[in-house]
Amino acid sequence: MMGRTGPFQWGDVVQVTGPKQRMNTIVLTEGKHLHTQHGSVPHDDFVGADDGSLVQVGEAPHLAIRPLLHDYVMSMPRGAAIIYPKDAAHIVGFADIHPDLTVVEAGVGSGALSLFLLRALHGTGRLVSFERREEFRAVAESNVTGFFGERPANWQTVLGDLEDELPAHVADGEADRVLLDMLAPWDCVDATARALRPGGLVLCYVATVTQLSRTVEAIRADGRFTAPKSSETLVRGWHVEGLAVRPDHRMVAHTGFLMTARRVADGVDLPSFRRRAAKADFADADVEAWTPGAVGDRTPSDKRARRAARDARIQAEAITSGGRPGQAGDEPPTGQPPTSAQVD
């Protein structure tokens, strides 16, 4: 779907918005219909219409427009929680992702961050994504293939733990960026330091303050990085209607913390940064608080992951086949993310 312009054609992804701003995301497939509370409309009615046109559904006009990357991410099937566009955009900016880089990512989840990274690499360089669960890797691969229309040649997915598998796929000093979206990034500090070239950057995305604290202390104690910097991104929309201008009652608040640090050259001594945490800094109760359940990490069930993998595969096949129905494409969509969008 990336780069498609002009009138809609079979296989296009279309975002359909109704009168009350309720959105549906569909893949134009022969023989299918879009069903809404206002009625149903065959996908044929969208084919040939200009991007940004109105399509009548029952008695209500609906806006049909090609989704942007962040729209696609929010409506695509997911097996694991995603990195939201507000954080992905800052990751691309703060990590200075640009063409020709070698980027390492762990874990891949549902492929949301992978899409932003691949878009920034623009077909050059290399993205190596590590994932521990095969079901999640399948979801991510289908979502990425569906967006680009094919699997990017510069993208490699690896099944397994980063700490164990990284040396076999990325040589020491080869990586320009290492992005860690995992429960315990502190376990991968040594592997990350070995993979990064001098001047490279590590970025960790964590959900809780206890995770952030332990990650920062591990980076400081390692001695091969500059002083870590930590931040979070809050997005607050505004209601603007005439003179009624005020903040929205709802906002996308905390989703996670971003921590960045730069790799220094071997042999460089930064005494002000090399502070090992005393034993009193962490108690057994603190370590227990970092377990998956305590920090709010709920591992999706195998059933949900398999369902998301199927939905992502069906969507990718519909896009890449140009909207031609097939055995897989005729299956009803299920397992959509908890948003207002759905894939028909």
Side-chain angles (χ1 to χ4, degrees):
M1 63 168 287
M2 186 185 70
R4 294 184 181 178
T5 58
F8 294 128
Q9 53 187 302
W10 295 117
D12 277 356
V13 179
V14 180
Q15 180 176 284
V16 184
T17 306
K20 295 185 178 180
Q21 300 302 306
R22 178 174 176 82
M23 292 186 296
N24 293 274
T25 302
I26 62 175
V27 180
L28 297 183
T29 306
E30 296 179 28
K32 282 200 169 185
H33 288 70
L34 167 65
H35 301 277
T36 75
Q37 60 182 346
H38 302 283
S40 67
V41 58
H43 288 197
D44 302 66
D45 287 6
F46 294 91
V47 176
D50 288 330
D51 195 354
S53 297
L54 290 178
V55 175
Q56 200 73 16
V57 182
E59 297 182 357
H62 284 58
L63 175 66
I65 197 167
R66 286 188 176 93
L68 301 175
L69 174 55
H70 74 269
D71 297 318
Y72 180 85
V73 165
M74 293 304 296
S75 65
M76 69 187 188
R78 65 181 74 162
I82 64 170
I83 290 182
Y84 278 78
K86 74 179 182 71
D87 294 316
H90 279 77
I91 289 173
V92 170
F94 290 160
D96 191 21
I97 305 298
H98 59 79
D100 297 321
L101 291 181
T102 295
V103 181
V104 174
E105 171 198 17
V108 67
S110 298
L113 181 59
S114 301
L115 283 166
F116 281 89
L117 297 174
L118 289 166
R119 168 68 73 81
L121 290 173
H122 199 59
T124 67
R126 182 184 178 205
L127 173 62
V128 186
S129 301
F130 293 81
E131 176 54 55
R132 298 175 61 182
R133 295 184 60 173
E134 174 60 36
E135 298 90 345
F136 292 169
R137 183 173 71 164
V139 173
E141 289 178 341
S142 294
N143 284 333
V144 170
T145 300
F147 181 78
F148 289 103
E150 61 183 1
R151 183 188 174 94
N154 62 335
W155 187 41
Q156 177 185 3
T157 58
V158 179
L159 187 65
D161 289 325
L162 174 81
E163 191 175 11
D164 300 329
E165 300 293 335
L166 183 58
H169 299 275
V170 179
D172 290 353
E174 182 184 358
D176 298 290
R177 308 285 187 267
V178 175
L179 313 177
L180 303 178
D181 172 23
M182 56 177 60
L183 181 65
W186 52 85
D187 289 337
C188 299
V189 170
D190 180 65
T192 296
R194 284 187 280 108
L196 279 172
R197 63 166 176 80
L201 177 141
V202 58
L203 183 147
C204 300
Y205 180 82
V206 294
T208 70
V209 292
T210 49
Q211 288 174 295
L212 178 65
S213 174
R214 188 165 183 181
T215 302
V216 168
E217 294 302 330
I219 292 289
R220 284 174 175 160
D222 182 81
R224 288 173 283 182
F225 294 93
T226 60
K229 299 179 181 179
S230 305
S231 64
E232 66 173 332
T233 304
L234 307 178
V235 175
R236 183 174 70 174
W238 279 71
H239 169 88
V240 181
E241 189 173 337
L243 296 179
V245 180
R246 55 168 175 75
D248 283 340
H249 296 307
R250 300 178 62 186
M251 66 178 290
V252 181
H254 174 77
T255 48
F257 297 103
L258 301 182
M259 188 229 71
T260 60
R262 302 289 299 276
R263 173 72 156 90
V264 299
D266 293 333
V268 172
D269 187 18
L270 300 173
S272 60
F273 304 148
R274 298 184 63 183
R275 184 183 67 82
R276 286 195 175 276
K279 292 183 179 180
D281 284 355
F282 305 109
D284 291 341
D286 296 322
V287 176
E288 178 62 26
W290 294 322
T291 58
V295 300
D297 182 75
R298 300 292 183 262
T299 302
S301 66
D302 291 340
K303 181 179 179 181
R304 176 183 174 186
R306 289 193 300 269
R307 184 173 59 188
R310 184 193 66 182
D311 291 344
R313 173 178 53 81
I314 292 172
Q315 177 171 291
E317 290 176 352
I319 296 171
T320 56
S321 68
R324 292 187 297 274
Q327 183 176 0
D330 291 336
E331 298 178 20
T334 57
Q336 293 302 312
T339 69
S340 61
Q342 65 184 33
V343 176
D344 187 3

